[in-house]
């Protein structure tokens, strides 16, 4: 028996409902089409609508739930709550005609056996919210309370609230360009952010934008572009990019002429790295292996470790991370990061450099890693990052020369990042050779 044809617009809303449920239950991320089987069969416009609907709901989830709880005496099934979340953001944030948003939400409830008996509740609650619109941009409610408390302890209450306020906004797209943008400046409405990072407010499928097919640029947040620059990549420099996927930093290093080895444990994620290398015409050695147990004796002039983390700094494009991460995850991730840092250190040749970074706002994953690493690896020292070096916002530099980039450090927002650079001391033989070379040069002078 075939499923009856759904009213116009309902398939997209059903797909959005599945995608929201998958994101909140941590079954899949927003980029995983398998999370919502109906997505694949939608027209591009409807697929984009479903995604923006879910992203908007996740960006306002805290205030939304506060408003819903005030109007619903007993918690309804989660699917009904999700219908209400999606209906509310259509009417209150995305500008849909109120009657259309209510009607579509009631139709959605009617189409689902488990929600059908709640269609009256959906109608009443949404009409009430439209009559008395709640504040869906209150920074006190935008982040989970436990995360806001952590950020307040780390950065101070005013800064934490400013960071939380960024959650509600839809971000622009940052691109890393190869060479002069030329006509792309006008075609993509670009403004320069830092060095080779440019920003556009353009929306839509990026693969259809000018210059994409020709490999002129790739999508990369302004913060994520900083770590690779701090290694001063150049022709002849050997660089190991650990946990490399999706590959933006690999592309940066290769574009600068470095000899790059990109390593990641996920063969699937490395497929995207290979695709981007092919599209841009750049070359790198790509290896699928666990960074902690990789069986290869090579050392490199420079190593870049973008470690797996809670990713709370990426909430502008991935608001689901705020609701997916739990307090216990941060301690577990910090332990894994320490092990990866030690493995990365073993790959740095004497006299070489190591850059460690995480797209996290949590101190245990950033600042907390530095002292422990220096204690464990006595032949490394912090290599302080200069003010503004690598295109980092000046306000991000900490006293010890590491970087703590907050989403508020750039006009228009940026991903939150922590970045530290270390230098490995030369071994005794290397120090002796350097001293002899310096003596010889002095004699010749």
């Amino acid at each position: 028996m075939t499923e009856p044809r759904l009213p116009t617009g309902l398939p997209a809303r059903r797909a959005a409902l599945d995608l929201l449920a998958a994101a909140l239950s941590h079954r899949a991320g927003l980029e995983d089409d398998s999370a919502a089987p109906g997505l694949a069969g939608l027209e591009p416009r409807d697929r984009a609508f479903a995604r923006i609907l879910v992203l908007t709901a996740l960006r306002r989830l805290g205030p939304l739930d506060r408003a819903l709880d005030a109007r619903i005496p007993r918690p309804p099934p989660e699917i009904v709550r999700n219908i209400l979340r999606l209906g509310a953001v259509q009417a209150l944030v995305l500008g849909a005609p109120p009657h259309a948003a209510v009607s579509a939400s009631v139709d959605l409830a009617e189409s689902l056996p488990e929600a059908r008996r709640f269609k009256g509740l959906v109608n009443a609650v949404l009409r009430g919210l439209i009559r008395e619109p709640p504040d869906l941009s209150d920074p006190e409610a935008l982040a989970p309370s436990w995360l806001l408390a952590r950020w307040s302890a780390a950065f101070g209450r005013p800064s934490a609230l400013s960071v939380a306020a960024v959650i509600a906004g839809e971000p622009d797209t940052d691109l890393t360009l190869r060479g002069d943008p030329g006509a792309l400046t006008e075609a993509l409405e670009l403004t320069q952010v830092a060095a080779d990072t440019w920003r556009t407010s353009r929306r839509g499928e990026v693969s259809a934008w000018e210059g994409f097919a020709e490999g002129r640029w790739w999508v990369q947040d302004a913060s994520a572009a900083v770590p690779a620059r701090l290694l001063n990549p150049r022709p002849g420099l050997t660089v190991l990019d650990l946990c490399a996927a999706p590959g933006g930093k690999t592309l940066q290093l290769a574009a600068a002429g470095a000899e790059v080895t990109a390593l990641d444990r996920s063969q699937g994620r490395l497929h995207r790295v290979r695709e981007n290398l092919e599209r841009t015409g750049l070359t790198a050695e790509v290896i699928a292996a666990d960074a902690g147990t990789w069986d290869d004796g090579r050392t490199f002039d420079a190593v870049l470790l973008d470690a797996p983390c809670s990713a709370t700094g990426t909430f502008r494009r991935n608001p689901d991370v705020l609701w997916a991460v739990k307090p216990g995850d941060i301690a577990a991730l910090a332990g894994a990061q320490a092990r990866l840092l030690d493995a990365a250190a073993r790959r740095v040749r004497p006299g070489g450099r190591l850059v460690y970074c995480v797209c996290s706002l949590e101190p245990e994953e950033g600042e907390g890693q530095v002292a422990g690493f220096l204690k464990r690896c006595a032949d490394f020292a912090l290599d302080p990052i200069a003010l503004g070096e690598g295109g980092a916002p000046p306000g991000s530099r900490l006293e010890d020369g590491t970087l703590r980039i907050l989403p508020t450090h750039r006009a228009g927002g940026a991903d939150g990042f922590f970045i530290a650079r270390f230098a490995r001391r030369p071994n005794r033989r290397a120090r002796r050779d350097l001293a002899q070379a310096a003596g010889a040069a002095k004699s010749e002078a």
Side-chain angles (χ1 to χ4, degrees):
M1 182 177 178
T2 58
E3 185 177 3
R5 180 175 174 81
L6 297 170
T8 303
L10 208 50
R13 288 176 172 82
R14 271 204 182 179
L17 196 62
D18 290 342
L19 192 59
L20 180 59
L24 291 175
S25 63
H26 324 317
R27 295 198 314 269
L30 295 177
E31 298 304 316
D32 187 351
D33 282 359
S34 67
L39 272 177
L42 296 176
E43 294 294 323
R45 182 176 178 178
D46 288 340
R47 192 160 56 244
F49 168 72
R51 290 195 185 281
I52 195 64
L53 198 52
V54 173
L55 282 166
T56 306
L58 288 169
R59 290 181 177 128
R60 314 292 178 111
L61 193 68
L64 264 177
D65 281 356
R66 183 175 63 181
L68 291 174
D69 288 342
R71 290 183 170 274
I72 304 174
R74 287 185 299 175
E78 191 66 8
I79 191 169
V80 175
R81 180 177 284 272
N82 284 341
I83 291 171
L84 288 166
R85 287 162 168 164
L86 295 177
V89 296
Q90 285 176 74
L92 301 177
V93 183
L94 296 178
H99 68 278
V102 174
S103 176
S105 301
V106 171
D107 286 346
L108 183 56
E110 172 70 28
S111 73
L112 299 162
E114 61 270 49
R116 190 169 295 148
R117 67 188 182 93
F118 292 94
K119 65 181 184 179
L121 175 72
V122 169
N123 180 70
V125 170
L126 289 180
R127 288 186 182 279
L129 290 176
I130 290 166
R131 281 195 305 272
E132 300 176 25
D135 179 5
L136 297 184
S137 299
D138 180 4
E140 293 272 3
L142 283 168
S145 57
W146 70 273
L147 269 178
L148 186 61
R150 287 177 60 85
W151 298 347
S152 296
F155 317 125
R157 186 70 175 178
S159 289
L161 289 173
S162 296
V163 167
V166 177
I167 296 170
E170 183 181 358
D172 290 337
T173 300
D174 291 347
L175 310 176
T176 298
L177 267 69
R178 298 175 65 188
D180 188 273
L184 290 178
T185 304
E186 184 174 350
L188 298 180
E189 303 171 23
L190 300 175
T191 55
Q192 192 167 20
V193 178
D196 49 358
T197 297
W198 298 73
R199 180 166 288 182
T200 176
S201 58
R202 190 170 178 174
R203 302 288 184 250
E205 180 55 54
V206 296
S207 62
W209 294 359
E210 291 85 342
F212 178 85
E214 298 78 18
R216 293 281 309 279
W217 51 265
W218 53 90
V219 175
Q220 186 176 32
D221 188 83
S223 297
V226 173
R229 298 190 194 117
L230 298 177
L231 290 174
N232 187 26
R234 56 195 181 277
L237 190 78
T238 61
V239 185
L240 174 62
D241 185 7
L242 290 174
C243 308
K249 298 174 183 66
T250 295
L251 297 176
Q252 279 182 283
L253 296 165
E259 299 172 16
V260 187
T261 298
L263 185 142
D264 197 281
R265 68 186 302 175
S266 170
Q267 188 69 260
R269 284 166 56 83
L270 281 175
H271 178 67
R272 188 172 169 190
V273 177
R274 292 188 179 95
E275 282 185 337
N276 281 322
L277 286 168
E278 183 177 355
R279 178 175 63 85
T280 56
L282 297 169
T283 58
E285 180 186 14
V286 180
I287 299 172
D290 188 306
T293 58
W294 183 37
D295 184 19
D296 188 301
R298 283 179 288 173
T299 58
F300 298 80
D301 298 324
V303 174
L304 173 57
L305 172 60
D306 187 351
C309 66
S310 63
T312 51
T314 69
F315 65 69
R316 293 162 61 246
R317 291 180 180 83
N318 306 294
D320 53 312
V321 303
L322 297 173
W323 309 99
V325 69
K326 303 300 177 191
D329 298 340
I330 294 168
L333 285 163
Q337 290 149 8
R339 291 190 293 275
L340 285 171
L341 251 176
D342 292 350
R346 294 193 292 270
R347 302 290 175 181
V348 182
R349 67 161 179 80
R353 280 173 156 179
L354 166 63
V355 164
Y356 168 79
C357 63
V358 284
C359 53
S360 165
L361 292 170
E362 314 317 310
E364 296 94 324
E365 301 182 86
E367 294 89 335
Q369 293 291 340
V370 173
F373 173 71
L374 293 176
K375 209 175 275 187
R376 296 190 306 271
C377 299
D379 54 341
F380 279 82
L382 264 178
D383 185 5
I385 299 163
L387 190 68
E389 187 180 352
S396 66
R397 188 182 188 274
L398 304 180
E399 288 185 4
D400 62 358
T402 59
L403 300 179
R404 165 53 72 191
I405 304 176
L406 296 180
T408 52
H409 279 159
R410 290 191 193 277
D415 281 357
F417 255 78
F418 176 83
I419 309 169
R421 184 173 60 193
F422 305 93
R424 186 171 189 177
R425 297 182 177 90
N427 58 28
R428 288 183 180 180
R429 180 174 177 178
R431 286 199 297 267
R432 184 190 65 204
D433 292 345
L434 286 171
Q436 290 176 347
K442 187 174 181 180
S443 299
E444 289 175 7

